[in-house]
Amino acid sequence: MTPATNPAYRRLSVEERRSQLLAAALSLFAHRAPEDVSLDDVAEAAGVSRPLVYRYFPGGKQQLYEAALRSAAEDLRHCFDEPRQGPLLPRLARALDRYLAFVDEHDTGFSALLQGGSVVETSRTTAIVDGVRRAAAEHIFRHLGVTDPGPRLRMTVRTWITAVEAASLIWLDEDKQPPAGELRDWLVEQFVAVLGVTAGRDPQTAAVVGAFAGDGPD
Amino acid sequence: MTPATNPAYRRLSVEERRSQLLAAALSLFAHRAPEDVSLDDVAEAAGVSRPLVYRYFPGGKQQLYEAALRSAAEDLRHCFDEPRQGPLLPRLARALDRYLAFVDEHDTGFSALLQGGSVVETSRTTAIVDGVRRAAAEHIFRHLGVTDPGPRLRMTVRTWITAVEAASLIWLDEDKQPPAGELRDWLVEQFVAVLGVTAGRDPQTAAVVGAFAGDGPD
């Protein structure tokens, strides 16, 4: 590491400093509920003064929390980036691997956010989380090749996404058991099973299931 | 209706007055987000003065909301009361019918509560809702005849309960389509499907599925 690239030895640009503060905040929110993290903690973790944190986030903790949440939501959306090539279920499995790695890394912060009841939770933070859910559903429809999902297919995909969230929270609660790989396979199988149920009532879903049933094992 | 039994014509007991105020509050919370309901609205709906509402709920709106929520949670728990007799899936279908009738009746209030982000939501209100979820899971284990559910069966039942909640919220959002009866059948089929997936990995779940597979259609 040379002095020129080590943040401790040079002035950071505004953007770099902001990223550094957000990263420090995220690592704290990952292991403690937002209400148990103070601006002093963030300043200390980033090795800067409290006034500096306020200069970047004049709205204080609420603003910092929302910015950290937006940044985490952005990372979470990247988990869904998956080329639309090859068999469908392995694509889903790879996206779930990235998602579970994200959950693993953000841990308590992820729980606090999704379980609600946090004192820094507002309709704005809820909207950020809902935005990620909507993005996940849109990714799935795109991969399924569906441009205009009907109510039954929509409900199936959205409830499965909620089930994935619930399973990740339970997984964190149960000391990350079963292993992530087993949880991922189970979630993929759940996806196939719940679509299969809807396929019995909905021609659009039946067509989708028919399309990936031909994929075979990867 | 005789004057002696009409609440408008006689003094209510403390318990009756309290119930009347809670019922008025619940009917308002059913159609508006908690933050859009004032104590004046509750007083007006109950046909009493604002000071009387305060006498019963000196903690103001937050206390009234929590009490109304506790009362709704109690009603919701009663949805799960189902004799442990006869084939399992029809028992589940009957409990879901009562649950969906509850969702139908409480409408917006149900959404506001479960979706979070309400200004009157606190860790206490979250705990009340979590208590209902836990009660639902315990009922299911009891009906399945399982006294010590392992992690995989627990995760399956808990994620299905979350999926039921998500489906009810989507259902309210989509003007209660598909009809409640179809939604109920779909949820029962989802239950069978997700347990079926877990049965492939977990002997305890496989035994449970074997037990109700013998029930046949009702």
Side-chain angles (χ1 to χ4, degrees), chain A residues 115-117 121-123 126 151-152 154-156 158-159 162-163 166-167 170-171 173-174 177-179 182-183 185-186 189-190 193-194 197-198 201, chain B residues 115-117 121-123 126 151-152 154-156 158-159 162-163 166-167 170-171 173-174 177-179 182-183 185-186 189-190 193-194 197-198 201:
Chain A
Q115 284 181 304
E121 202 189 329
T122 64
S123 57
T126 305
R152 287 168 182 78
R154 259 195 339 259
M155 187 182 274
T156 309
R158 289 173 64 190
T159 56
T162 313
I170 296 168
W171 184 66
D173 233 29
E174 303 251 352
Q177 284 304 318
E182 180 182 335
L183 180 59
D185 288 343
W186 181 77
E189 289 172 29
Q190 295 273 350
V194 297
V197 165
T198 306
R201 312 177 167 276
Chain B
Q115 284 182 303
E121 200 187 330
T122 63
S123 56
T126 306
R152 287 167 182 79
R154 261 199 330 264
M155 187 181 273
T156 310
R158 288 172 64 190
T159 54
T162 313
I170 296 169
W171 184 65
D173 233 30
E174 304 251 351
Q177 285 303 316
E182 180 182 335
L183 179 59
D185 287 343
W186 181 77
E189 289 172 28
Q190 296 272 351
V194 297
V197 166
T198 306
R201 314 178 165 276

Side-chain angles (χ1 to χ4, degrees), chain B residues 136-180:
Chain B
E138 282 155 18
H139 272 273
I140 290 175
F141 294 130
R142 221 171 299 134
H143 281 274
L144 293 175
V146 175
T147 50
D148 190 18
R152 287 167 182 79
L153 180 55
R154 261 199 330 264
M155 187 181 273
T156 310
V157 168
R158 288 172 64 190
T159 54
W160 177 78
I161 290 170
T162 313
V164 171
E165 272 179 39
S168 344
L169 290 174
I170 296 169
W171 184 65
L172 289 177
D173 233 30
E174 304 251 351
D175 296 323
K176 304 184 182 172
Q177 285 303 316

Side-chain angles (χ1 to χ4, degrees), chain A residues 2-20:
Chain A
T2 67
T5 58
N6 182 338
Y9 291 95
R10 67 181 177 85
R11 267 189 104 75
L12 299 182
S13 72
V14 168
E15 212 25 71
E16 286 168 327
R17 181 64 81 190
R18 198 183 133 84
S19 301
Q20 183 211 8

Side-chain angles (χ1 to χ4, degrees), chain B:
Chain B
M1 205 185 304
T2 67
T5 58
N6 182 338
Y9 292 96
R10 66 180 178 85
R11 267 188 106 74
L12 299 183
S13 73
V14 168
E15 213 25 72
E16 286 169 327
R17 180 64 80 190
R18 200 183 132 84
S19 302
Q20 184 212 8
L21 294 176
L22 284 180
L26 271 174
S27 72
L28 290 172
F29 290 135
H31 300 292
R32 283 187 246 161
E35 45 269 45
D36 298 330
V37 175
S38 71
L39 279 191
D40 280 328
D41 296 333
V42 175
E44 195 189 326
V48 302
S49 68
R50 195 167 194 274
L52 184 73
V53 180
Y54 262 109
R55 202 176 326 141
Y56 279 78
F57 299 98
K61 192 161 100 171
Q62 184 67 38
Q63 190 193 2
L64 179 61
Y65 180 66
E66 287 185 25
L69 182 53
R70 257 187 219 102
S71 146
E74 197 54 43
D75 292 349
L76 192 46
R77 279 163 193 261
H78 285 308
C79 297
F80 312 144
D81 289 342
E82 177 67 34
R84 266 173 284 160
Q85 283 160 9
L88 271 165
L89 298 182
R91 293 187 221 165
L92 183 61
R94 285 189 294 270
L96 281 169
D97 280 338
R98 288 190 292 269
Y99 167 78
L100 290 172
F102 178 94
V103 172
D104 189 13
E105 189 194 338
H106 291 82
D107 213 304
T108 315
F110 182 82
S111 302
L113 175 71
L114 292 187
Q115 284 182 303
S118 161
V119 295
V120 289
E121 200 187 330
T122 63
S123 56
R124 271 201 308 281
T125 61
T126 306
I128 296 171
V129 178
D130 277 342
V132 177
R133 288 182 185 127
R134 257 197 314 279
E138 282 155 18
H139 272 273
I140 290 175
F141 294 130
R142 221 171 299 134
H143 281 274
L144 293 175
V146 175
T147 50
D148 190 18
R152 287 167 182 79
L153 180 55
R154 261 199 330 264
M155 187 181 273
T156 310
V157 168
R158 288 172 64 190
T159 54
W160 177 78
I161 290 170
T162 313
V164 171
E165 272 179 39
S168 344
L169 290 174
I170 296 169
W171 184 65
L172 289 177
D173 233 30
E174 304 251 351
D175 296 323
K176 304 184 182 172
Q177 285 303 316
E182 180 182 335
L183 179 59
R184 175 249 291 143
D185 287 343
W186 181 77
L187 292 170
V188 172
E189 289 172 28
Q190 296 272 351
F191 183 73
V192 175
V194 297
L195 280 178
V197 166
T198 306
R201 314 178 165 276
D202 180 47
Q204 183 181 42
T205 308
V208 162
V209 170
F212 71 64
D215 280 352
D218 70 323

Side-chain angles (χ1 to χ4, degrees), chain A residues 14-37:
Chain A
V14 168
E15 212 25 71
E16 286 168 327
R17 181 64 81 190
R18 198 183 133 84
S19 301
Q20 183 211 8
L21 294 176
L22 284 182
L26 271 175
S27 71
L28 290 171
F29 290 135
H31 300 292
R32 283 186 246 162
E35 45 270 44
D36 299 330
V37 175

